[in-house]
Amino acid sequence: MNITLSPSPNFDERKHPIDMIVLHYTGMQTGQAAFEQLRNPDAKVSSHYLLWEDGRVDQLVAEDRRAWHAGVSSWQGDDDLNSRSIGIEIVNGGHDFPAADGTLPPYPDIQIQTLIELCHRILAGRDIPQTRIVGHSDIAPVRKQDPGEHFPWARLAQAGIGIWADIEDLDTPDVLGKGLSPGEQTASVRQMQEQLQRIGYDLSPTGTFNDLTEAVVRAFQRRWLPDRISGAADIATLRQIGVIQALYAAT
């Protein structure tokens, strides 16, 4: 893997050790537009790496410096995630620039294979838990949707990067009831919120299925149930939340 040094002025000093990887899509019309934005001092945004569709990699900020990619965000009780993470921007138009047929633009195979190699390179010699390899939508569910429901998290997990679980392939206990919907106020909502909080989402257990809870459920679905993004917690979503919470607790 060849990495081109293309320095961005948009960085400062870290305040914490590196223990996270945050994955983004660029959400711009072209990779060149994203490249220019990430190196524009007026934009005040950057990442450590930019990964192009053809597998090229630009390093914009040294790993020991604090790139400005995460914004206001939180995970597993931590904030200032820019100080804790390495950010990778993946060239993809995402929700803002879909494909001509209206679908989300695919991630080319060579791009994902290079991403896997890059993540292994970052992980080597570092204590980065699998539970702290996240998408931007995980750490900022109200604001962000990237890297999107079209991102191949399962493929990364098969390569040892992050966690994936397919509930159809697991022996999981049945979840009874009709699911949970926005606006509900029940002990079951509180239990779901507690599980999501244990996974890492910035969510206080209130027992009320409020707007923040809906955003977090949608972010969870975007990552682990990409075919059923609704913000409501149906039975499949509740089962998957339990599975992922248990896997995170055991990791």
Side-chain angles (χ1 to χ4, degrees), residues 89-100:
E89 287 278 359
I90 307 164
V91 174
N92 187 281
H95 297 82
D96 294 315
F97 293 95

Side-chain angles (χ1 to χ4, degrees), residues 169-241:
D169 296 335
L170 298 174
D171 182 17
T172 59
D174 289 335
V175 176
L176 302 178
K178 61 179 178 55
L180 302 172
S181 301
E184 290 191 34
Q185 294 180 316
T186 65
S188 295
V189 171
R190 178 182 290 273
Q191 181 181 25
M192 177 189 70
Q193 291 169 328
E194 289 172 347
Q195 290 179 313
L196 289 166
Q197 185 185 55
R198 291 189 197 107
I199 292 169
Y201 292 98
D202 186 15
L203 182 64
S204 297
T206 63
T208 299
F209 203 132
N210 52 22
D211 290 345
L212 176 57
T213 302
E214 184 176 356
V216 169
V217 169
R218 187 176 287 108
F220 178 90
Q221 292 168 329
R222 198 177 303 282
R223 177 160 178 182
W224 280 289
L225 290 167
D227 293 331
R228 55 196 323 135
I229 302 169
S230 66
D234 61 7
I235 294 300
T237 299
L238 292 174
R239 287 185 67 201
Q240 188 75 321
I241 289 172

Side-chain angles (χ1 to χ4, degrees), residues 20-23 75 131-136 138-139 153 223:
M20 295 185 70
I21 296 175
V22 180
L23 303 180
W75 188 251
T131 63
R132 291 174 72 84
I133 299 174
V134 297
H136 203 183
D138 294 317
I139 62 175
W153 284 107
R223 177 160 178 182

Side-chain angles (χ1 to χ4, degrees), residues 112-128:
I112 297 304
Q113 184 55 46
T114 304
L115 175 63
I116 290 170
E117 295 175 16
L118 178 59
C119 286
H120 280 307
R121 180 180 181 272
I122 293 167
L123 291 168
R126 284 198 175 96
D127 185 18
I128 298 179

Side-chain angles (χ1 to χ4, degrees), residues 1-3 50-58 108-115 117:
M1 178 177 56
N2 294 320
I3 297 177
L50 176 67
L51 176 53
W52 299 75
E53 299 100 325
D54 60 5
R56 288 178 291 136
V57 180
D58 281 281
D109 182 74
I110 184 62
Q111 188 180 43
I112 297 304
Q113 184 55 46
T114 304
L115 175 63
E117 295 175 16

